[in-house]
């Protein structure tokens, strides 16, 4: 079976149901950005020490979820039921809470650095925020999308922040506070969107 179709040679691609659209369309750009994030999560899994099997299992679950997110954006007019359901972000919140409890309390922003896996988590955090903005932008030009994807992606960025902190803690890397930060975390909210 050939993996190439030649249909893209003219700048077109197919959505679910066989709809032909330009590869330059906002929809294709959006699910392409989801796919890019998914590939980056796969790279993070390669960086994380296999001894952290809980992290590996979470990253695998996230990759499955991101495939579902991309699939939903490749579907017009709900020709099939959306795969991402309300409440999918709940498991991310539980994981975030676990990592927050396992790491030292912080009051200030920390610099995005540390061990290799944690540093890449920070890259993923920013990539996820970029995708989130793209989803919001898409919602302003189309009403044909699954609204449950955005809360998941929003929470996913917070997950990568929390995981970065946990991995640095596990690997005994001391976090470096941003020296000009005010006490931003004192209210119990991570506030990573305020960076």
């Amino acid at each position: 079976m050939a993996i190439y179709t030649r249909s893209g040679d003219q700048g077109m691609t197919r959505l679910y149901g066989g709809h032909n659209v330009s590869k330059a369309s906002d929809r294709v750009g959006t699910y392409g950005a989801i796919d890019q994030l998914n590939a980056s999560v796969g790279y993070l899994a390669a960086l994380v020490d296999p001894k952290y099997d809980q992290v590996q299992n979470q990253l695998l679950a996230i990759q499955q979820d991101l495939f579902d997110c991309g699939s939903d954006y490749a579907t017009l007019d709900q020709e099939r039921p959306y795969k991402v359901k309300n409440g999918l972000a709940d498991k991310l919140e539980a994981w975030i809470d676990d990592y927050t409890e396992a790491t030292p309390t912080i009051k200030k922003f920390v610099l995005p650095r540390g061990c290799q896996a944690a540093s890449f988590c920070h890259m993923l955090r920013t990539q996820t925020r970029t995708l989130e903005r793209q989803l919001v932008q898409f919602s302003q030009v189309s009403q044909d999308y699954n609204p449950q994807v955005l809360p998941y992606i929003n929470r996913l960025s917070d997950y990568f922040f929390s995981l970065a902190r946990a991995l640095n803690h596990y690997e005994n890397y001391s976090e470096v506070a941003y020296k000009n930060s005010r006490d931003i975390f004192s209210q119990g909210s991570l506030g990573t969107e305020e960076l």
Side-chain angles (χ1 to χ4, degrees):
M1 175 181 142
I3 64 166
Y4 52 84
T5 63
R6 297 192 176 97
S7 62
D9 294 352
Q10 304 304 316
M12 302 296 288
T13 191
R14 287 195 182 126
L15 302 177
Y16 179 85
H19 303 280
N20 285 317
V21 296
S22 169
K23 288 189 173 185
S25 74
D26 290 336
R27 182 176 299 279
V28 174
T30 299
Y31 72 68
I34 295 170
D35 187 36
Q36 183 179 21
L37 178 61
N38 201 341
S40 295
V41 175
Y43 185 67
L44 174 61
L47 294 177
V48 171
D49 193 312
K51 69 183 177 184
Y52 301 125
D53 57 336
Q54 174 182 317
V55 175
Q56 291 288 355
N57 290 336
Q58 290 173 359
L59 296 177
L60 181 61
I62 288 167
Q63 286 194 282
Q64 296 286 352
D65 294 341
L66 287 173
F67 235 99
D68 287 345
C69 292
S71 178
D72 284 355
Y73 270 83
T75 301
L76 292 175
D77 300 321
Q78 292 193 57
E79 289 191 359
R80 61 155 181 76
Y82 286 139
K83 295 179 180 179
V84 177
K85 307 296 184 192
N86 183 32
L88 185 63
D90 293 349
K91 69 179 174 186
L92 294 176
E93 291 182 2
W95 297 342
I96 291 166
D97 291 344
D98 288 344
Y99 290 134
T100 301
E101 290 177 15
T103 52
T105 301
I106 56 171
K107 291 185 177 180
K108 300 182 181 297
F109 284 126
V110 294
L111 298 182
R113 56 184 295 141
C115 69
Q116 190 173 27
S119 296
F120 196 72
C121 281
H122 284 295
M123 293 289 294
L124 281 170
R125 174 182 60 78
T126 61
Q127 186 178 351
T128 306
R129 288 290 182 221
T130 300
L131 172 60
E132 181 183 12
R133 291 189 292 271
Q134 191 166 351
L135 296 177
V136 171
Q137 185 175 8
F138 185 85
S139 73
Q140 295 174 353
V141 298
S142 174
Q143 298 300 310
D144 188 11
Y145 65 94
N146 183 353
Q148 301 306 325
V149 172
L150 182 58
Y152 180 81
I153 296 301
N154 184 347
R155 215 69 78 251
L156 186 58
S157 182
D158 295 331
Y159 168 83
F160 289 129
F161 176 79
S162 300
L163 178 59
R165 296 200 63 232
L167 290 171
N168 276 335
H169 181 66
Y170 299 158
E171 295 296 318
N172 296 312
Y173 275 79
S174 296
E175 291 178 301
V176 179
Y178 167 45
K179 65 181 181 180
N180 292 325
S181 174
R182 65 187 196 280
D183 286 354
I184 196 75
F185 298 111
S186 58
Q187 300 301 317
S189 170
L190 289 179
T192 59
E193 294 180 39
E194 298 177 37
L195 289 173

